[in-house]
Amino acid sequence: MLTKFESKSNRVKGLAFHRMGTLLDRFDEHEGPVRGVDFHRVQPLIVSGGDDYRIKVWDYKLRRCLFTLLGHLDYIRTVCFHNDYPWLVSASDDQTIRIWNWQSRSCVTVLTGHNHYVMCASFHPKDDLIVSASLDQTVRVWDVTGLRNKTVRGMPAQAGGPALNEATGATGSGSVVSRVNADLFGSGDAVVKYVLEGHDRGVNWASFHPSSPLIASGADDRQVKLWRMNDIKAWEVDTMRGHTNNVSCVVFHPKHELIISNSEDRSIRVWDISKRLGVQTFRRENDRFWIIAAHPEQNLLAAGHDAGMIVFKLERERPAFASDQQRLFYVKDRYLRTFDFHNGRDVPSISLRRTGHVGTTAGILARSLECNTLNSTETLLLLCSDAEGGSYELIALGVDASQPIESSDGKRGTGMSATFLSRNRVAILDKNRQILIKDLANERRKVVASPSPATDKIFFAGTSGRLLLRLDDRLLLFETQSRRILSELQVQRVKYVHWSPNNAFVALISKHGITIASRELDQLCSISETVRVKGGVWDSHSKVFVYTTLNHVKYCLTSGDTGTLRTLDMPVYLTQVLKGKLHCLDRECKTRILSIDMTEANFKLALESKNYAEVMHIIRHARLCGEALVAYLQDRGYPEVALHFVKDLTTRFKLAVACGNIQVALSTAYELGDDVSWHHLGVEALRQGNYQVVEMAYQRTKNFERLSFLYLLTGNTDKLRKMLKIAEMRHDLMARFHNALFLGDAEERMRVLEDAGQLALAYLTSATHGLTEQAERLGDRIGPTAISIQRSLELQRGDDSCALLLQPPTPIVRAENWPLLAVSRMSMYELLDSQSRYAPEQDDEDSGETWEAQLGSDIPLSRDVVDEVPGGWDDELELEDELMTATAAIEGSQISTGIMREDDGQAPFHAPPSGVAPMAVWCETACHAAYHAAAGSFETGMHLLYRQIAVVEFRPLKQAFMARALSSLHSLPGLPLALAVVMPVRGQTLTETRASLLPVIPLNMAQLIDLLKHAYKEFQRGNFVTSERIFRTILRTLPLYVAETRAEAQEVKELVEICREYVSAIRIKNANGESQGVRQMELSAYFTHCNLQPAHLALALNLAMSQSFRGGNYIHAASYARRILELPDVAMAKADLRSKAAVVLKKSEENARNEQRLNFDERNPYVLDCAELVPIYKGTPLVTCAFCGSNYKACMKGAICVTCRLSVIGVETLGLVTQSQTKRQ
C-alpha cells in the first residue's frame, strides 16, 4: 500500500471520489452522523444522507445546500447519483430504497421487499439496474427499465391519474391515496430481477463490476462472495474467506481484475478475481474499517476507519524504464520491451520471470531499470524489483533485441538496491548495509562496508568506481577502491538520479524538489515545487534539464533558471528530448511523443553563456513574450533586450529609461503623453547630458523654473528672455525676478520690485546700478526714505569703491549636449558587433577543470576576465602584402635544418627536395607566430607579433624563438660516413583539403603553472628579484604559446593579467623600500590595490597598515585593518595578524584623523600608471600596452611598456593570438 493522503477525524462511514481534482471544504447542516455521500459525475453537486432521515443536495461551488429531500422514516445508509439520469438512489433502515429526481426535487419511486435494514444501494454503471444489500441476508438486483421509460422518455400519464411532467417526471395534484400506496407498497415501475441468497448473516455491502456481469458482496459472516448474472438468472461463483470479523464494504478495482474489501478486523484485503485468492493484506493496529471507495479514473482507493480516512494505491504506477541515446527499455506485462527513438519500432526483447502472485502486473514488481552507459560493446540492464524483500536481475541484450528470449536464472540475486559500478562490475547493497561488488557472471568479487549504517540505497555516480549513497538527509559520493567519502551534499531524501549525457551534471530528484550538482557533487542550484516531481531527463547537449510534475512540463538550467514548457492532462515519465519532441511513458506503459518549444530555454542559455549572436537570432526569429521573461531580462541586467518583447507603453518606457535608451523613451513618452513619464525622461536625459531632451521634457511638464535654470547653465540668453516674457504674461513676480537675475538685467529687477510694491528696494536697485531717471521717479514716491538710502550709498562708496554688477556666469561649453565621462560599459549589441564573424565557434564541450583545480586550492586564479575579441572583418578582407611574403622569406633564407644561420661558406651543398618544404607550408597557412618561429622564419614571426601585440623589442624573445625552432626538428642518424636526416616534428592536421601538418610546440600549460607556483613561493618568501624574473619569463613565453582549446586560451590571457599585476606589485614594493614619508605611504596604498592572491594581499595590507599607523594616517590604517579582518582565515600569513589588525583598528578609530594628505582616494576609481606609479583617476585620458594591458598616461604613447618590456604603448592592435588560426586559401 502506498499512502497518498491521510486525515484524522471522527469515524468515517461514507466516502466518494470526485473525478476532477481535489476539493477542500466543510458542510455542516445535518443533525447527527452522515453515513452516505456521493459526487455527481458532471454537475457541481454533492448528495448526503444521515441519521436525521434527510437527504441534502449541495452545490460545492456555491458552498451551500440547495434543497432537502424528505421521505425516509429511519437512518439513511447510502446515497448515490445516476451517471446519466437526473436520479439519485437512497437506502435506509426503514427497509426501503427510494429513487429521487433531483431536478424536480421529488421521489420518483419506492422499492420495497427487504424485511430488514437496507445497508446499501447503487446504480449499475451502464444498465438500468440497482443492487442492494440488507441485513435480511439477501442481495437484490432491481430492474428500473419501466421507471426509465415512464419518467425519462416521457410516457403518457394514465387516465385519472396525476399528470406527469415529461421533462422531470414530477406528478401533479393526483390522487393522494395512490401516492400513499406507492410510498408504502411501491410501484410497478421497478421490479426485483434477482434475489441472491447465500450469506449466513446480514449483508453489509454489494456492488456491480464496472464492465462485467459480476456482483461482489460482503456480510457479517466474514465472507466475500462473487456472483455472476445473465438475462435470466444470477448465481454464486465463489466465496473468498480470510477476514476474521464482519466485512464492512466490498468494491471492484476500476482498472484491474481485483476485489478490495475491508472489515471490522482492522484489515483491507485484495482478492484476485481469476484465482479467487487473497493477494495483499493491509492492517491497522487500532482502527476498524467501515467504508471503501475507488476513484473512477485514477488508480486511487480511499478507506474510512474509526480515526479518519486514508487515500492509497495498491502499488506504484511508475513504469520501470531506462534509456540510452538511441533506445528506450521498459517493462510492460511480462516482457522487457525496446523502443527505438528514431524509427518508432517497439518490440519485446526478453521475457521476465514471475516473482509470485503479488501485485497487479502479472506478478512482476519492477521498481527500477538501469542501463550501463559505461559499456559500449553490449547492452547491459539491471532490473530491480520489490519481490522477496528486494531483488535484482542482470540482463544482457545482443545487438538485435527484436526476438524474445528467456533470461538466465544465474544472474539474479537479492539486495536492497543495485547499480552499475563500472563497465563490468555491479554494486549491490545487501540487507546488512554492505556493498557487494559482483562481475557480470553474478560472482562476488569484493565486499565493501558502507561508510554509514543509515545507507538505504545506492546510485550510479557518473564515473567508474564511484557510488552515490543515499541517507535520510544527505547524499555521499563514495569511492569503493579507496573506501573513502569524496564529497557530501545536504539534500532531502533523493528518489531518482539523472545524469547528463556527458556525465558532467547530475539532477537529484526528491519528492518536491530538484537539486542540480556537478560530477564532484558540488551543488549548482536547487528548485522547489509545490506538487510532486515525477521525473526528468537532460537534453542532448547536457545543458537543460527537462522535468515533469503532476500537470506541467518544466525546464531548469544549471544556473537555477526555470520555466514552464507545457501543461499535461495526465502524469507522464520522460525518457528522451530530441529536436523539440519529448518522448515519454504514461502510467499504462504506452509510449507518447509530446511537442515542446525549447526557445525560451535556449534563449536563457545563450544569454547566460554570452552567445549574443544566438540571442539576437532568437529575438528576430522567435516569438517570445510574457511578463516573466521581461522580469528575467531586467534581473539579469539586459533591459535593452527586454525592449524587443514589450508592447505595453508604460513597461516599455520604464525599460528604455532603465537601459538609458533616450530615443525609445522619447518616442514612448510622446505616445503616453503624461507628465510623470516626461518628468522621468527629463531626469534620465539630464543624467546623460542630453539637454535638448531635457528642455523638451521641461516644456511638456511646464516646469518653468527648471527650464530657466537650464538656459542659464547652457548660456542660452535668447530663450532666457523668452522665459522672462512668459513669466510676465503669467504675472509670476518671483519667476520674473529670477529670470532678470539670470540675465543680469538690473532695470527689469527694479521694475519687478516696483510692481511688487517694494518701492524702497526698487529705489535702492536703481540708485545702485546708476538708473538715474528711475531713481528720481521712485525717490519722489517714497519721499524721506530716499534721502536715507542715498546717504547709505554714499557712505558705502566711500568705504569700498570695488562694487561689481551681478552678471550671469559664462557657460563652460556651448555645444549641442554636454560632454560626459566615457564609461567602459558595453551593451549586448556592442558586444555582438565586436565579435568577429571569422572567430571560431563556441566549443560544445566543457572547458575542463577550473584554474583552482589546476593550480591547487591554495593558489586560486580569478576567472573574471573578458576576452579581448578582435574587431569584425568584411567578407572581402584581403591580407597585407607583408603577410603574404612569408613564403618568399623562407625561400630566400639559407635553411638546411629549418633554422636561419649565417653563411660561413663551409656548408656542403644539398639538392632541394621535391615539392614544397613543410616549413614553407607552415608559414603559408598558419597565422600564429609560434609556427613561423618553428619554421625558422623569424622575420615573419616578428612581423606577426608586431601586428598583433605591437612588439618592437625582440631581444628578450630570442631564447623563445630559438627554442621553438630547435624543437620543431629531429635528426635521424644515417649510414656510416653519411649525413643525418633532418625531419620536421609534425602534429595535428591543419586542414581537410590539404595534407599538411603543423609542427609540435613542446610547451604545455602544466609547465607554465609550475613556473607560476614557483613565482608565488618566491613572492611569499620576499625574494622579489627572483619572483619578478620568473613572472617576466612567463610573459615572454606566452606570445609563442599555442593554446589547444578555448579554455586554455582563456587561461593564457589570465596568466598575462596575473604576471602584469605581480610585476607591478613588485615594482611598487621595491620603490616603497627606497622611499620615505608621504611617498612611502602612497606606494603602500597602491600596493594594496593590486590584484594579488589572498595570502599575498594580507602581507600587502599588513605593510600598508603598519606604515600608515606609524605615519599618523589613522583613517587609512583603519581601512587596511578592516580589509585584513574581512580576509578568509586561510589567507592569514601569521596567526597574530588578525589580532594585530583588531588592535590597530581600535586605536585608529579612537584617533580618527589623517596627519598627511596622500595622492590616494580609495572612493574614486582609478588605475595605476605603471611608469610613474601614481593613480590615473576615472575620466583622465590614458593609453594601454597592447600585450600586457598596463595603463599609462597619454603622454607615454609611443614608448615601450615598462612591465613587459616588449610592446609599444598606445597602439591599437588585434590582440594576442593564443589559438592556431589559419589563412584563408
Side-chain angles (χ1 to χ4, degrees):
M1 176 191 291
L2 300 176
T3 303
K4 310 298 289 184
F5 171 75
E6 189 166 2
S7 174
K8 299 294 183 181
S9 65
N10 295 327
R11 178 181 297 172
V12 175
K13 299 296 289 287
L15 286 172
F17 274 106
H18 191 265
R19 296 174 179 267
M20 302 296 292
T22 304
L23 300 169
L24 298 175
D25 214 331
R26 181 185 179 93
F27 302 92
D28 296 312
E29 283 193 19
H30 278 286
E31 298 177 0
V34 178
R35 295 179 181 269
V37 292
D38 191 29
F39 277 100
H40 194 277
R41 189 181 65 169
V42 179
Q43 300 295 328
L45 299 178
I46 305 174
V47 63
S48 61
D51 289 358
D52 56 359
Y53 313 164
R54 297 180 178 182
I55 298 173
K56 291 181 177 291
V57 177
W58 315 75
D59 189 316
Y60 58 76
K61 289 186 177 180
L62 301 177
R63 298 181 179 178
R64 64 182 180 88
C65 178
L66 299 179
F67 54 88
T68 302
L69 300 176
L70 300 177
H72 280 295
L73 305 177
D74 207 338
Y75 296 166
I76 298 173
R77 293 286 179 171
T78 63
V79 288
C80 178
F81 278 112
H82 195 281
N83 287 342
D84 301 317
Y85 307 152
W87 292 350
L88 62 89
V89 64
S90 59
S92 171
D93 285 357
D94 62 4
Q95 305 180 13
T96 65
I97 302 167
R98 287 177 178 261
I99 300 177
W100 312 78
N101 188 311
W102 55 266
Q103 289 183 345
S104 63
R105 306 181 183 182
S106 62
C107 178
V108 177
T109 187
V110 181
L111 308 182
T112 59
H114 286 293
N115 54 24
H116 209 301
Y117 299 163
V118 182
M119 301 301 293
C120 76
S122 61
F123 290 107
H124 192 278
K126 300 177 181 178
D127 300 332
D128 295 330
L129 299 175
I130 294 176
V131 64
S132 62
S134 172
L135 294 185
D136 62 3
Q137 303 181 13
T138 65
V139 175
R140 291 176 180 255
V141 179
W142 309 79
D143 189 347
V144 293
T145 303
L147 182 65
R148 188 253 301 167
N149 294 332
K150 179 179 179 180
T151 61
V152 176
R153 296 186 179 181
M155 298 298 293
Q158 296 179 359
L164 180 69
N165 188 315
E166 295 184 1
T168 62
T171 58
S173 57
S175 172
V176 177
V177 176
S178 62
R179 282 185 292 170
V180 171
N181 290 335
D183 286 346
L184 293 178
F185 305 107
S187 64
D189 300 332
V191 296
V192 177
K193 189 173 186 179
Y194 311 115
V195 177
L196 307 179
E197 297 178 341
H199 285 286
D200 298 333
R201 293 188 179 182
V203 184
N204 293 316
W205 204 270
S207 61
F208 284 116
H209 192 279
S211 57
S212 301
L214 297 175
I215 298 174
S217 61
D220 288 345
D221 58 3
R222 307 174 185 178
Q223 297 177 359
V224 175
K225 288 184 178 291
L226 181 65
W227 313 79
R228 181 176 290 273
M229 60 182 180
N230 55 23
D231 293 338
I232 58 176
K233 67 176 181 178
W235 65 96
E236 179 181 340
V237 176
D238 206 342
T239 301
M240 288 160 278
R241 299 174 176 84
H243 284 291
T244 58
N245 207 332
N246 301 337
V247 179
S248 304
C249 187
V250 179
V251 296
F252 287 96
H253 196 284
K255 293 188 176 183
H256 302 290
E257 294 301 312
L258 299 173
I259 297 175
I260 300 96
S261 64
N262 60 8
S263 167
E264 296 180 34
D265 63 0
R266 303 179 179 86
S267 71
I268 298 175
R269 292 179 179 266
V270 182
W271 312 86
D272 191 320
I273 295 178
S274 60
K275 299 179 176 58
R276 286 100 181 200
L277 295 175
V279 294
Q280 285 178 301
T281 302
F282 311 109
R283 299 182 182 275
R284 291 184 72 91
E285 294 182 359
N286 303 314
D287 302 321
R288 296 170 294 176
F289 287 101
W290 298 101
I291 187 70
I292 194 166
H295 195 284
E297 296 176 356
Q298 301 180 18
N299 186 21
L300 291 176
L301 298 170
H305 51 79
D306 289 336
M309 61 164 291
I310 182 174
V311 179
F312 62 96
K313 292 182 180 180
L314 294 180
E315 62 181 12
R316 300 169 74 249
E317 292 182 289
R318 180 187 180 92
F321 65 92
S323 63
D324 54 19
Q325 296 300 318
Q326 290 82 25
R327 294 173 295 177
L328 166 67
F329 308 96
Y330 65 99
V331 177
K332 184 176 182 180
D333 298 332
R334 294 183 58 249
Y335 290 95
L336 173 67
R337 304 182 68 89
T338 302
F339 174 79
D340 194 302
F341 291 119
H342 300 288
N343 56 28
R345 185 183 182 188
D346 191 345
V347 295
S349 298
I350 192 170
S351 176
L352 300 176
R353 186 191 65 167
R354 288 176 177 264
T355 55
H357 301 289
V358 183
T360 61
T361 55
I364 300 173
L365 296 179
R367 184 175 69 234
S368 65
L369 186 65
E370 182 179 341
C371 181
N372 190 350
T373 58
L374 301 177
N375 193 328
S376 59
T377 59
E378 58 180 334
T379 303
L380 296 176
L381 299 173
L382 195 60
L383 177 64
C384 297
S385 65
D386 293 329
E388 302 175 7
S391 62
Y392 68 91
E393 181 176 355
L394 183 61
I395 303 171
L397 298 179
V399 178
D400 185 9
S402 60
Q403 298 298 327
I405 57 174
E406 293 293 334
S407 59
S408 172
D409 292 339
K411 295 183 181 180
R412 297 188 178 96
T414 59
M416 297 176 58
S417 179
T419 186
F420 286 105
L421 180 64
S422 63
R423 184 182 62 85
N424 55 0
R425 291 291 184 268
V426 180
I428 297 98
L429 180 67
D430 65 3
K431 297 180 180 180
N432 298 323
R433 301 300 195 275
Q434 289 183 333
I435 300 175
L436 309 179
I437 299 177
K438 297 184 178 181
D439 57 15
L440 299 183
N442 205 26
E443 296 180 359
R444 183 184 299 182
R445 295 294 184 181
K446 191 176 182 181
V447 179
V448 179
S450 173
S452 173
T455 303
D456 58 359
K457 193 169 184 178
I458 58 177
F459 300 99
F460 175 61
T463 305
S464 178
R466 295 182 180 182
L467 294 173
L468 292 177
L469 310 183
R470 185 184 73 179
L471 282 69
D472 288 336
D473 58 347
R474 62 187 186 274
L475 206 64
L476 305 179
L477 180 59
F478 181 67
E479 188 174 61
T480 58
Q481 185 67 28
S482 59
R483 304 190 180 188
R484 60 191 179 96
I485 299 176
L486 302 180
S487 182
E488 181 176 339
L489 180 61
Q490 295 291 331
V491 63
Q492 293 297 326
R493 186 177 181 84
V494 176
K495 299 176 64 178
Y496 312 109
V497 172
H498 295 277
W499 286 93
S500 60
N502 60 1
N503 291 335
F505 304 107
V506 60
L508 310 173
I509 298 182
S510 304
K511 184 177 181 180
H512 292 101
I514 297 175
T515 301
I516 305 294
S518 65
R519 182 184 301 169
E520 301 301 327
L521 218 59
D522 297 326
Q523 180 173 331
L524 301 178
C525 65
S526 180
I527 304 160
S528 297
E529 294 285 347
T530 57
V531 295
R532 293 175 182 266
V533 180
K534 307 306 293 184
V537 64
W538 289 89
D539 72 331
S540 57
H541 299 294
S542 304
K543 296 178 180 179
V544 181
F545 183 70
V546 183
Y547 65 96
T548 59
T549 62
L550 283 174
N551 43 24
H552 287 96
V553 179
K554 299 184 177 183
Y555 70 87
C556 169
L557 306 183
T558 55
S559 60
D561 294 328
T562 61
T564 301
L565 296 176
R566 61 170 293 164
T567 58
L568 295 172
D569 53 357
M570 65 176 65
V572 294
Y573 305 92
L574 305 185
T575 59
Q576 187 69 272
V577 179
L578 290 174
K579 298 179 180 179
K581 300 295 183 181
L582 194 62
H583 295 263
C584 55
L585 285 173
D586 59 14
R587 286 177 168 174
E588 297 179 357
C589 288
K590 296 180 180 179
T591 57
R592 295 174 177 266
I593 299 178
L594 306 178
S595 298
I596 57 173
D597 187 1
M598 296 287 290
T599 305
E600 181 181 328
N602 294 330
F603 176 79
K604 293 181 179 180
L605 192 64
L607 200 63
E608 177 189 342
S609 59
K610 294 183 173 56
N611 187 357
Y612 298 113
E614 180 67 18
V615 170
M616 293 305 299
H617 176 77
I618 295 176
I619 289 175
R620 296 188 179 108
H621 297 88
R623 295 182 178 179
L624 291 178
C625 60
E627 296 182 0
L629 183 61
V630 173
Y632 170 83
L633 292 170
Q634 284 187 282
D635 293 340
R636 290 299 184 273
Y638 295 99
E640 69 274 12
V641 182
L643 281 173
H644 289 268
F645 307 104
V646 177
K647 301 301 181 183
D648 181 68
L649 294 178
T650 303
T651 307
R652 185 174 179 82
F653 176 79
K654 293 179 179 179
L655 288 174
V657 172
C659 65
N661 195 330
I662 294 297
Q663 298 302 322
V664 176
L666 180 62
S667 62
T668 309
Y670 270 118
E671 297 182 39
L672 289 172
D674 58 332
D675 292 345
V676 177
S677 300
W678 282 105
H679 171 72
H680 289 302
L681 176 61
V683 172
E684 176 62 23
L686 186 62
R687 187 186 69 83
Q688 295 190 15
N690 192 335
Y691 80 83
Q692 294 175 347
V693 177
V694 176
E695 178 185 4
M696 188 181 305
Y698 289 167
Q699 289 175 354
R700 286 277 181 171
T701 57
K702 297 182 180 180
N703 198 334
F704 299 113
E705 291 80 7
R706 293 188 178 184
L707 192 58
S708 298
F709 193 71
L710 176 66
Y711 292 150
L712 171 66
L713 295 180
T714 57
N716 198 333
T717 56
D718 295 337
K719 292 187 177 180
L720 261 178
R721 294 192 183 279
K722 292 182 180 180
M723 295 302 301
L724 179 61
K725 292 180 181 180
I726 293 174
E728 188 174 355
M729 295 171 60
R730 295 172 54 236
H731 304 290
D732 190 345
L733 294 176
M734 185 59 70
R736 285 178 59 193
F737 186 82
H738 283 166
N739 284 290
L741 186 63
F742 293 160
L743 288 168
D745 192 342
E747 185 177 358
E748 180 65 24
R749 292 206 307 272
M750 182 273 297
R751 285 196 293 268
V752 173
L753 292 173
E754 183 181 1
D755 294 343
Q758 301 289 339
L759 298 180
L761 289 177
Y763 175 78
L764 177 62
T765 302
S766 59
T768 303
H769 293 83
L771 302 175
T772 308
E773 295 180 1
Q774 291 82 351
E776 291 176 357
R777 180 173 55 81
L778 292 172
D780 295 338
R781 296 180 62 183
I782 62 176
T785 306
I787 300 174
S788 60
I789 294 175
Q790 188 66 32
R791 289 176 182 175
S792 299
L793 290 175
E794 291 176 356
L795 291 175
Q796 184 179 5
R797 292 192 185 101
D799 295 338
D800 186 6
S801 60
C802 298
L804 299 175
L805 177 65
L806 291 176
Q807 292 291 339
T810 303
I812 300 175
V813 178
R814 293 180 183 269
E816 294 183 356
N817 286 315
W818 298 328
L820 290 183
L821 176 66
V823 181
S824 59
R825 175 185 174 185
M826 300 182 68
S827 67
M828 190 270 296
Y829 302 104
E830 293 169 342
L831 288 171
L832 176 64
D833 293 338
S834 66
Q835 290 179 351
S836 171
R837 70 181 65 184
Y838 294 109
E841 296 180 357
Q842 294 287 343
D843 262 340
D844 289 336
E845 299 180 359
D846 293 332
S847 59
E849 298 294 331
T850 61
W851 263 88
E852 289 79 5
Q854 293 177 352
L855 298 179
S857 59
D858 57 334
I859 311 176
L861 290 180
S862 172
R863 278 194 171 273
D864 298 331
V865 182
V866 180
D867 287 339
E868 297 179 7
V869 185
W873 297 330
D874 294 331
D875 289 338
E876 295 80 17
L877 179 64
E878 296 180 359
L879 299 179
E880 300 276 336
D881 293 336
E882 291 83 357
L883 293 180
M884 301 300 293
T885 57
T887 306
I890 297 298
E891 294 174 353
S893 303
Q894 296 184 4
I895 303 175
S896 60
T897 62
I899 306 173
M900 292 192 302
R901 58 184 180 136
E902 296 182 0
D903 187 7
D904 54 1
Q906 303 296 326
F909 173 79
H910 296 283
S914 61
V916 182
M919 287 73 73
V921 176
W922 300 345
C923 295
E924 280 187 37
T925 55
C927 294
H928 200 292
Y931 295 128
H932 289 251
S937 180
F938 291 176
E939 180 181 355
T940 56
M942 290 187 291
H943 185 78
L944 281 175
L945 290 180
Y946 172 75
R947 296 296 300 272
Q948 293 167 2
I949 54 176
V951 177
V952 295
E953 184 60 46
F954 289 94
R955 283 176 293 183
L957 297 178
K958 179 180 179 181
Q959 183 177 358
F961 269 79
M962 296 299 296
R964 298 294 88 77
L966 292 173
S967 61
S968 65
L969 301 172
H970 64 101
S971 177
L972 298 178
L975 298 174
L977 303 178
L979 296 175
V981 180
V982 179
M983 299 181 63
V985 181
R986 297 180 176 180
Q988 59 182 354
T989 300
L990 182 64
T991 61
E992 297 178 358
T993 59
R994 189 164 184 172
S996 58
L997 300 176
L998 288 176
V1000 173
I1001 305 300
L1003 180 65
N1004 53 39
M1005 184 58 65
Q1007 297 172 341
L1008 298 179
I1009 297 305
D1010 291 336
L1011 282 176
L1012 185 66
K1013 290 181 179 180
H1014 184 42
Y1016 279 159
K1017 292 179 181 178
E1018 295 300 326
F1019 188 93
Q1020 183 81 18
R1021 295 170 183 170
N1023 298 332
F1024 298 112
V1025 176
T1026 306
S1027 180
E1028 182 180 8
R1029 176 174 51 81
I1030 298 175
F1031 281 118
R1032 291 188 184 277
T1033 301
I1034 297 175
L1035 270 179
R1036 294 165 183 169
T1037 305
L1038 293 177
L1040 298 179
Y1041 180 87
V1042 180
E1044 296 181 358
T1045 62
R1046 281 188 173 271
E1048 194 170 325
Q1050 179 69 17
E1051 292 171 353
V1052 170
K1053 295 182 179 181
E1054 290 179 1
L1055 274 179
V1056 172
E1057 289 199 356
I1058 292 170
C1059 294
R1060 180 196 66 209
E1061 292 293 322
Y1062 272 84
V1063 169
S1064 300
I1066 293 172
R1067 293 180 60 238
I1068 294 173
K1069 179 62 179 68
N1070 294 335
N1072 179 273
E1074 300 171 359
S1075 304
Q1076 293 181 354
V1078 175
R1079 180 57 177 168
Q1080 188 180 49
M1081 287 189 288
E1082 290 177 348
L1083 290 170
S1084 63
Y1086 307 152
F1087 195 16
T1088 62
H1089 283 261
C1090 293
N1091 189 9
L1092 307 178
Q1093 302 300 315
H1096 303 156
L1097 182 60
L1099 299 177
L1101 289 171
N1102 183 29
L1103 175 65
M1105 179 183 67
S1106 302
Q1107 292 181 355
S1108 297
F1109 189 83
R1110 288 197 300 268
N1113 278 23
Y1114 299 105
I1115 296 177
H1116 289 157
S1119 176
Y1120 304 140
R1122 291 190 190 95
R1123 291 178 61 187
I1124 290 176
L1125 295 176
E1126 291 173 356
L1127 288 174
D1129 294 337
V1130 295
M1132 295 302 174
K1134 298 181 181 178
D1136 59 345
L1137 182 55
R1138 186 178 293 275
S1139 58
K1140 176 182 176 182
V1143 173
V1144 171
L1145 178 61
K1146 181 179 179 181
K1147 292 185 178 181
S1148 299
E1149 290 176 344
E1150 292 175 357
N1151 295 318
R1153 68 181 184 278
N1154 281 337
E1155 294 291 345
Q1156 305 292 338
R1157 184 174 182 180
L1158 307 181
N1159 183 16
F1160 171 69
D1161 186 4
E1162 60 182 358
R1163 293 185 297 274
N1164 192 358
Y1166 74 95
V1167 294
L1168 188 67
D1169 182 359
C1170 294
E1172 300 177 3
L1173 299 181
V1174 293
I1176 304 175
Y1177 291 104
K1178 192 174 183 180
T1180 305
L1182 56 85
V1183 290
T1184 59
C1185 173
F1187 172 41
C1188 65
S1190 298
N1191 298 289
Y1192 299 88
K1193 293 181 180 178
C1195 61
M1196 290 293 294
K1197 185 175 182 179
I1200 296 179
C1201 176
V1202 298
T1203 302
C1204 63
R1205 299 176 182 175
L1206 298 174
S1207 300
V1208 178
I1209 301 171
V1211 179
E1212 293 184 3
T1213 63
L1214 180 67
L1216 179 63
V1217 176
T1218 56
Q1219 286 185 276
S1220 174
Q1221 302 288 335
T1222 60
K1223 301 176 186 179
R1224 299 180 66 186
Q1225 301 296 322

